[in-house]
């Protein structure tokens, strides 16, 4: 009598949770990294576009070396070779949204040696920032030829209630690098978030399937 062939033994169902746990944890870690990267990118962008020319209550900010009414005059200590930008500060409701306020003439500075400097250069970065009811815009820049006390004369502005502020000029290179880094950071956040969310969802689903298999076994 011939023996009947034995029936194939079904492969045991995998019930280990190591894979699902690893995938789920990976998703959580990627999402946390995306969150940290988002915070860093946001901080870099805010730091690049923040001028610190105005405080919330409308006074000169921490970056301002000196300020004066337009027209008006004052004195300030400057360092040789350093770049400085002139900001014009005006009431927000005094200009239209598509209008950029300006001075009637360039700000003039009298150097310690007696030389007259015109703040007629272009700033490294054309800044425009608004705080409360005021708007500050760059209207000129210059390089200090020597170290010492300068007398600064501000001409009238085309907007009533205006005043000028002098602050260190923002170089274009670091500003551009910060903006470009923010753009790359945004793409990194989107990519990590997509991969992390997919890994998290996939890990949870896989975890549920394996948990059911463990209960069945």
């Amino acid at each position: 009598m011939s023996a009947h062939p034995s029936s194939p033994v079904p492969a045991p169902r995998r019930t280990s949770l190591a894979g699902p746990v690893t995938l789920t944890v990976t998703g959580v870690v990627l999402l946390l990294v995306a969150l940290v990267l988002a915070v860093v990118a946001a901080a870099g962008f805010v730091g690049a576009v923040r001028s610190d020319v105005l405080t919330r209550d409308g006074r000169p900010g921490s970056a301002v070396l000196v300020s004066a009414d337009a027209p008006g005059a004052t004195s300030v200590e400057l360092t040789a070779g350093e770049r400085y930008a002139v900001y014009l500060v005006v009431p927000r409701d005094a200009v239209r949204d598509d209008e950029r306020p300006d001075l009637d003439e360039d700000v003039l500075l009298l150097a310690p040696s007696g030389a007259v400097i015109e703040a007629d250069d272009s700033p490294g970065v054309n800044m425009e920032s608004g705080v409360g009811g005021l708007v500050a815009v760059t209207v000129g820049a210059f390089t200090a030829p020597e170290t010492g006390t300068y007398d600064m004369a501000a001409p009238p502005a085309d907007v009533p209630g205006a005043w000028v502020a002098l602050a260190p000029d923002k170089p274009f290179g670091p500003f551009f690098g910060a903006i470009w880094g923010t753009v790359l950071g945004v793409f990194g956040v989107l990519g990590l978030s997509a991969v992390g969310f997919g890994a998290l969802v996939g890990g949870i689903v896989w975890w549920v399937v394996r948990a059911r298999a463990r209960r069945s076994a």
Side-chain angles (χ1 to χ4, degrees):
M1 180 179 295
S2 61
H4 293 286
S6 59
S7 300
V9 178
R13 299 179 64 182
R14 295 182 178 180
T15 59
S16 173
L17 296 178
V21 169
T22 301
L23 186 59
T24 302
V25 171
T26 300
V28 172
V29 171
L30 289 176
L31 290 176
L32 291 176
V33 172
L35 178 60
V36 172
L37 183 58
V39 173
V40 172
F45 178 78
V46 171
V49 301
R50 185 179 58 195
S51 64
D52 289 333
V53 173
L54 295 171
T55 62
R56 294 187 179 275
D57 56 0
R59 294 182 299 173
S62 59
V64 174
L65 302 176
V66 70
S67 61
D69 294 333
T74 187
S75 60
V76 60
E77 291 285 332
L78 301 180
T79 303
E82 294 295 324
R83 291 278 299 176
Y84 299 94
V86 176
Y87 289 80
L88 175 60
V89 183
V90 300
R92 186 186 296 271
D93 56 6
V95 293
R96 298 190 299 269
D97 293 338
D98 58 346
E99 182 181 10
R100 187 180 179 88
D102 201 358
L103 294 168
D104 293 344
E105 299 175 358
D106 295 323
V107 167
L108 299 178
L109 296 106
L110 182 64
S113 63
V116 177
I117 298 97
E118 296 184 13
D120 56 358
D121 293 343
S122 296
V125 179
N126 280 311
M127 300 293 295
E128 180 173 349
S129 60
V131 178
L134 297 176
V135 176
V137 297
T138 48
V139 293
F142 67 96
T143 301
E146 55 187 299
T147 299
T149 302
Y150 288 70
D151 294 325
M152 185 180 77
D158 56 6
V159 176
W163 50 279
V164 297
L166 190 66
D169 192 14
K170 282 182 173 290
F172 178 74
F175 175 82
F176 179 79
I179 296 300
W180 184 243
T182 300
V183 173
L184 294 179
V186 170
F187 281 107
V189 169
L190 294 177
L192 288 173
S193 298
V195 176
F197 182 75
L200 178 62
V201 173
I204 292 175
V205 172
W206 192 8
W207 199 330
V208 171
V209 172
R210 282 292 173 87
R212 290 177 179 176
R214 290 170 67 90
R215 288 197 298 267
S216 299

